[in-house]
Amino acid sequence: EAEVVLVGRSNVGKSTLMRELTGHSFDTGGKPGVTREPNHYDWAPEDFVITDLPGFGFMSGVHEDHREAIKTGIVHYLEEYADNVLVAVLVVDGKSVIDIIDRHSGPDEIPYDVEMFHFLRELDVPTVVAVNKMDKVDDRDERLNELCDRLGLLPPWKQWQETIAPITAKNGQISSLEEAVRDHLHEQNRDDL
Ligand code: GDP
């Protein structure tokens, strides 16, 4: 069965988003780094499963080796199932993503989120960046333009509405994401004709 995958650093609101998308309730605020196995759920309105991959990146109390193992597991999963993945949703925290990206950008360092975005593109998996926690962001357009810039997409972000989807999962404001995902699904149906 075709799938939509969700990836993102821990604490960006992936479980909250999963709950909104599927109507299921998930462990939020659980111990970071514990979800090792991908979780699959039916996405009711459409005919595919949605897969929640473990959160990656820094988690307090989680050893670096363990963090690396989680990331490697995610990469292997995506490589193995890329052909089956209709859309990948990379979830980021709109409030902190620019700071985190800039802090980890350097001559021999690529921030996780940027790396994951490029990795998914290399695999030819259509990717939507769900920019969550927009309720905490005041300078919305500026922030989204900066994110485009960091991801190598030419601003303004409004040109990229199939790729950049600002959401507030906590309040159920996820329609931009649902639209972006649907756009990709329909594009692929057209390609198949
Ligand atoms: P996960 O680790 O990515 O699964 O993140 P969770 O879903 O557990 O959320 C982490 C924290 O972010 C929790 O305290 C959530 O209530 C909070 N959160 C999730 N979505 C939003 C949102 O849209 N806005 C705000 N302000 N907080 C959110």
Side-chain angles (χ1 to χ4, degrees):
E1 202 173 359
E3 62 180 305
V4 171
V5 299
L6 240 61
V7 291
R9 302 177 70 96
S10 70
N11 211 41
V12 294
K14 239 153 44 71
S15 314
T16 307
L17 177 58
M18 276 296 277
R19 195 171 50 216
E20 284 301 320
L21 288 170
T22 65
H24 258 274
S25 91
F26 296 87
D27 268 347
T28 50
K31 250 180 140 189
V34 168
T35 323
R36 294 295 301 274
E37 300 304 319
N39 292 311
H40 305 280
Y41 301 91
D42 292 322
W43 195 2
E46 310 276 349
D47 188 25
F48 50 77
V49 293
I50 178 160
T51 302
D52 184 22
L53 293 174
F56 56 86
F58 177 79
M59 291 162 269
S60 68
V62 177
H63 195 269
E64 169 152 12
D65 292 348
H66 183 47
R67 259 162 31 210
E68 279 303 311
I70 292 172
K71 205 181 107 183
T72 305
I74 294 168
V75 166
H76 286 165
Y77 184 91
L78 291 170
E79 280 173 342
E80 185 167 353
Y81 296 106
D83 287 346
N84 197 47
V85 176
L86 295 173
V87 182
V89 178
L90 172 62
V91 188
V92 301
D93 178 340
K95 180 76 183 170
S96 61
V97 65
I98 301 297
D99 287 343
I100 292 175
I101 287 176
D102 289 352
R103 206 184 311 143
H104 293 282
S105 298
D108 27 48
E109 199 182 8
I110 302 173
Y112 277 136
D113 292 314
V114 176
E115 188 181 24
M116 193 57 74
F117 184 72
H118 292 310
F119 173 66
L120 288 163
R121 295 198 133 195
E122 272 166 36
L123 290 177
D124 260 331
V125 174
T127 303
V128 179
V129 183
V131 192
N132 191 29
K133 309 197 187 183
M134 288 304 288
D135 58 312
K136 296 207 279 184
V137 175
D138 299 325
D139 50 351
R140 181 186 167 90
D141 288 336
E142 196 182 323
R143 188 67 58 95
L144 296 169
N145 287 339
E146 282 178 322
L147 181 59
C148 279
D149 173 71
R150 302 307 190 273
L151 295 175
L153 307 171
L154 190 70
W157 75 273
K158 297 243 173 173
Q159 297 189 130
W160 297 100
Q161 298 201 34
E162 277 189 21
T163 307
I164 302 288
I167 61 169
T168 298
K170 199 177 74 172
N171 299 341
Q173 292 165 6
I174 58 167
S175 56
S176 63
L177 174 63
E178 291 175 318
E179 271 165 44
V181 169
R182 251 179 229 127
D183 283 345
H184 284 292
L185 297 177
H186 294 156
E187 232 163 61
Q188 289 172 42
N189 286 339
R190 269 204 309 278
D191 291 347
D192 289 343
L193 291 176

